[in-house]
Amino acid sequence: MAPDHDADRLSLPVDIDVLIAFAASDSPDADAESADAGARIAERLLRAGAVSGSSAALGDLGARRAVMTVPGWSVQPLAASSDSEQTTTRTVQKQRDRELGIEFTRSPAGAEQTRISVHSFGARAAAGDIVRISVRLGADRTELLVVLYAGDDGTLTGQAVTRALTMSEDLEISLLAGAALDSTHVSAVTDAVRCSLTAGRNAWRRVAKGLPAGDPVRAAIIAGLS
């Protein structure tokens, strides 16, 4: 039997629709028989992927793509008019991730605090969902949770002012469904409520109202509001 060159040119993981389109693109005049050949190639490769574990690798790839990375920034001091005074640059870091559908903004807020703003412009998030901002420092991991709510213009937004992170840390940002919060998040939830602005605190109140009495997340929100 002649070698299957189409299969040789394709690497795993693959999508069956992509494979069929690939087979058709090789021969502009391809007929139904060519399409059947492409489908057979897809079936063989997908079977091989299931055996080798490449399906799991594809899932891992999807998870990695759902994380937005933000590099740390340095805030440089500027000389003020007086020799005895200094002022800090009004540094604003802004970054967008189209796949996650998040615009992230970080800026100094004075008194060793950092202002965090997030906006969702995609279809991944809904009001009450959480933007999880992770900071890695060696073996330690710090998380800041920002709840999303509808802003004045109808877009989803969230804000916090915190000492938990500065401008200099490298960050990882991901989305978490509000319903996915559980007892492992209670400390982070309480901290998040405390560093939220008024609109964010009201959004956390709405989350709490949707939870049953005795729920650990509800109790964590109440603790943050008190």
Side-chain angles (χ1 to χ4, degrees):
M1 179 181 294
D4 196 338
H5 297 296
D6 285 339
D8 291 342
R9 283 183 290 169
L10 294 167
S11 59
L12 291 169
V14 291
D15 183 88
I16 190 167
D17 293 326
V18 173
L19 280 170
I20 293 173
F22 175 85
S25 67
D26 275 358
S27 303
D29 299 324
D31 54 15
E33 190 173 344
S34 298
D36 290 341
R40 286 195 299 272
I41 294 169
E43 185 179 358
R44 286 198 298 274
L45 288 173
L46 291 173
R47 278 203 306 269
V51 173
S52 67
S54 62
S55 296
L58 181 59
D60 291 343
L61 178 62
R64 288 195 297 271
R65 284 180 176 173
V67 175
M68 173 184 179
T69 58
V70 179
W73 270 28
S74 295
V75 179
Q76 301 295 331
L78 292 178
S81 56
S82 170
D83 292 338
S84 62
E85 295 179 349
Q86 280 190 330
T87 185
T88 302
T89 57
R90 186 62 177 172
T91 300
V92 177
Q93 181 187 25
K94 183 176 290 188
Q95 185 168 318
R96 290 167 63 94
D97 186 283
R98 293 191 178 278
E99 178 140 5
L100 197 58
I102 290 292
E103 181 179 85
F104 171 86
T105 304
R106 170 169 57 170
S107 61
E112 299 182 350
Q113 297 187 107
T114 303
R115 180 182 296 272
I116 301 296
S117 298
V118 291
H119 299 275
S120 173
F121 58 85
R124 281 179 177 263
D129 285 348
I130 309 299
V131 176
R132 182 166 53 186
I133 304 168
S134 301
V135 184
R136 292 188 181 276
L137 295 173
D140 298 331
R141 183 182 181 92
T142 301
E143 283 194 339
L144 175 68
L145 305 180
V146 180
V147 66
L148 290 173
Y149 53 89
D152 294 337
D153 59 357
T155 61
L156 294 177
T157 189
Q159 294 189 58
V161 177
T162 179
R163 288 186 174 89
L165 58 88
T166 67
M167 296 291 294
S168 62
E169 284 105 0
D170 296 333
L171 307 177
E172 291 183 351
I173 298 173
S174 57
L175 278 172
L176 178 68
L181 291 172
D182 57 29
S183 59
T184 64
H185 301 103
V186 292
S187 178
V189 166
T190 298
D191 291 343
V193 176
R194 287 174 176 164
C195 69
S196 294
L197 304 183
T198 300
R201 292 168 69 87
N202 289 337
W204 281 114
R205 286 189 179 93
R206 290 191 290 272
V207 173
K209 287 179 180 179
L211 298 172
D215 186 280
V217 175
R218 185 176 188 271
I221 293 172
I222 292 171
L225 291 169
S226 60

